[in-house]
Amino acid sequence: MARTEDPRTAPPIRWGILGAGGIAAVFADGVNRYTRAQLVAVGSRNKDRAERFATAHGIPTTHTGYRELVEDPQVDAVYVATPHSEHHEHALLAIRAGKHVLVEKAFTRNEAEAREVLDAAREAGVFVMEAMWTRFLPHVSALHQVIDAGEIGDIVNLTADHGQFMAFDPRSRLYDPALAGGALLDLGVYPVSFAHDFLGVPDSVQAVGTLTETGVDGQISMVLSYGERTQATLHTTLWAKTPTIASISGTEGFISVAGDFYGISSFRVQRRDGRTWTFDQPGPKGLQFQAAEVARRVAEGATESPRMTWQGTLDVMRTMDQVRAQVGVVYPGE
């Protein structure tokens, strides 16, 4: 079975980090430790936060504000790591400055915003990708090889869940409608994107959910249907740490993916004929794989990744728009 390329073999690229929060710190650590890329600048609206982040990650340049960051001539590519509500504006800011862009998932609040960002990237001729890092991990590559080889036959059902216990705080971005909070865009995007990765665009989407006191989704269960007999059953919640496991079942067997399925993980194949085997390739967190993908595609002059295409991002956003519509979540300004 082919192994995922080592991120250290990707060409060097100079990153600017837009937003200095938790996920940005994980990304910075992955880039520094496991790639040949450089972190050359960080921008935050808070000067102290930018300086603390820069010190922690060995970044030479700080910017108070985002325009200075995207216009910094040192920067080749911008990693947008602000709340979901800001992705549209900040991605456009970087694109208009002529920078390549990696945008945290969920890519934007909705499909319409995503389309505007991608149209701008097309016009500018720059690379843009949704930071769905799961798509680039070793076990996900191996899963595709196993399924493509027919080891479990035709897929009948895919299941995936992502829940984390997040204590209620109306000031938290996760519970704030103005910041596009809720379980779906922050956590549920992982199982939705996982289903899209292996099954494509569903023929129909059914969802039930419960809202929080602030009007964002606290918990959602989804069924995506494909053709006559294939379904994906997905779940997300802010109210419990769930097993965060996944399974893919087919006519000839099934695959169980250990939690957290969306991070570096292992899986077990059990065929109907009794044969079983496992895949396990341990490693660090994993955001370095998507960073390496950006560097490789930019070096070859591409504007999108074949593993996380622009159309793929639009398809995922459309599914989540349908889910939100059924559950009753509307963000201010939509």
Side-chain angles (χ1 to χ4, degrees), residues 8-120:
R8 294 180 183 87
T9 65
I13 192 171
R14 299 177 301 177
W15 285 100
I17 296 185
L18 194 158
I23 191 66
V26 177
F27 179 80
D29 185 63
V31 169
N32 275 336
R33 288 176 180 238
Y34 307 109
T35 79
R36 292 191 291 152
Q38 292 177 283
L39 302 177
V40 297
V42 60
S44 173
R45 288 174 176 152
N46 184 300
K47 183 175 184 290
D48 290 340
R49 175 178 286 186
E51 290 178 348
R52 287 196 302 271
F53 192 96
T55 299
H57 300 285
I59 301 174
T61 304
T62 60
H63 296 289
T64 304
Y66 301 136
R67 185 171 297 279
E68 287 183 7
L69 174 77
V70 302
E71 293 178 350
D72 187 333
Q74 301 177 91
V75 173
D76 299 319
V78 172
Y79 171 58
V80 175
T82 46
H84 305 124
S85 54
E86 312 302 310
H87 289 180
H88 172 258
E89 176 189 345
H90 295 155
L92 288 175
L93 193 68
I95 290 166
R96 288 165 184 160
K99 297 300 195 289
H100 307 293
V101 191
L102 177 65
V103 185
E104 252 312 317
K105 57 0 164 208
F107 190 73
T108 50
R109 295 187 301 177
N110 53 51
E111 183 192 1
E113 289 185 347
R115 195 172 293 279
E116 287 182 19
V117 170
L118 297 175
D119 285 347

Side-chain angles (χ1 to χ4, degrees), residues 11-12 36 38 46 50 66 105 111-112 121 128 174 191 198 214 224 238 288 307-309 325:
R36 292 191 291 152
Q38 292 177 283
N46 184 300
Y66 301 136
K105 57 0 164 208
E111 183 192 1
V128 171
L174 290 169
F198 288 95
T214 53
L224 314 186
L238 294 176
Q288 65 272 16
R307 280 292 294 128
M308 190 66 251
T309 65

Side-chain angles (χ1 to χ4, degrees), residues 32-256:
N32 275 336
R33 288 176 180 238
Y34 307 109
T35 79
R36 292 191 291 152
Q38 292 177 283
L39 302 177
V40 297
V42 60
S44 173
R45 288 174 176 152
N46 184 300
K47 183 175 184 290
D48 290 340
R49 175 178 286 186
E51 290 178 348
R52 287 196 302 271
F53 192 96
T55 299
H57 300 285
I59 301 174
T61 304
T62 60
H63 296 289
T64 304
Y66 301 136
R67 185 171 297 279
E68 287 183 7
L69 174 77
V70 302
E71 293 178 350
D72 187 333
Q74 301 177 91
V75 173
D76 299 319
V78 172
Y79 171 58
V80 175
T82 46
H84 305 124
S85 54
E86 312 302 310
H87 289 180
H88 172 258
E89 176 189 345
H90 295 155
L92 288 175
L93 193 68
I95 290 166
R96 288 165 184 160
K99 297 300 195 289
H100 307 293
V101 191
L102 177 65
V103 185
E104 252 312 317
K105 57 0 164 208
F107 190 73
T108 50
R109 295 187 301 177
N110 53 51
E111 183 192 1
E113 289 185 347
R115 195 172 293 279
E116 287 182 19
V117 170
L118 297 175
D119 285 347
R122 184 178 293 108
E123 185 175 343
V126 298
F127 179 92
V128 171
M129 190 178 84
E130 179 182 359
M132 179 44 73
W133 55 291
T134 304
R135 300 239 176 158
F136 305 97
L137 299 180
H139 76 288
V140 174
S141 175
L143 280 170
H144 278 285
Q145 292 179 59
V146 169
I147 292 167
D148 291 347
E151 286 291 306
I152 62 167
D154 298 327
I155 298 175
V156 175
N157 180 257
L158 178 151
T159 67
D161 85 274
H162 189 185
Q164 302 289 342
F165 176 76
M166 303 292 184
F168 179 72
D169 180 354
R171 299 164 299 177
S172 164
R173 68 172 182 85
L174 290 169
Y175 285 96
D176 188 348
L179 297 179
L184 181 65
L185 263 59
D186 203 73
L187 308 177
V189 63
Y190 284 105
V192 171
S193 189
F194 191 73
H196 273 254
D197 191 15
F198 288 95
L199 296 174
V201 179
D203 297 321
S204 67
V205 176
Q206 294 173 290
V208 293
T210 306
L211 304 188
T212 69
E213 298 170 38
T214 53
V216 301
D217 51 295
Q219 179 162 264
I220 300 178
S221 296
M222 298 160 269
V223 178
L224 314 186
S225 298
Y226 304 81
E228 294 182 357
R229 63 173 183 173
T230 302
Q231 294 180 335
T233 50
L234 316 174
H235 176 259
T236 187
T237 183
L238 294 176
W239 298 328
K241 174 66 175 82
T242 64
T244 62
I245 56 178
S247 67
I248 305 173
S249 302
T251 53
E252 298 299 324
F254 66 87
I255 304 171
S256 304

Side-chain angles (χ1 to χ4, degrees), residues 1 139 142-147 149-153 246 248-250 252-258 266-280:
M1 183 174 292
H139 76 288
L143 280 170
H144 278 285
Q145 292 179 59
V146 169
I147 292 167
E151 286 291 306
I152 62 167
I248 305 173
S249 302
E252 298 299 324
F254 66 87
I255 304 171
S256 304
V257 187
S266 60
F267 63 80
R268 182 173 184 267
V269 179
Q270 182 164 329
R271 284 175 48 89
R272 196 157 54 88
D273 61 13
R275 186 162 64 91
T276 64
W277 55 276
T278 60
F279 172 90
D280 190 9

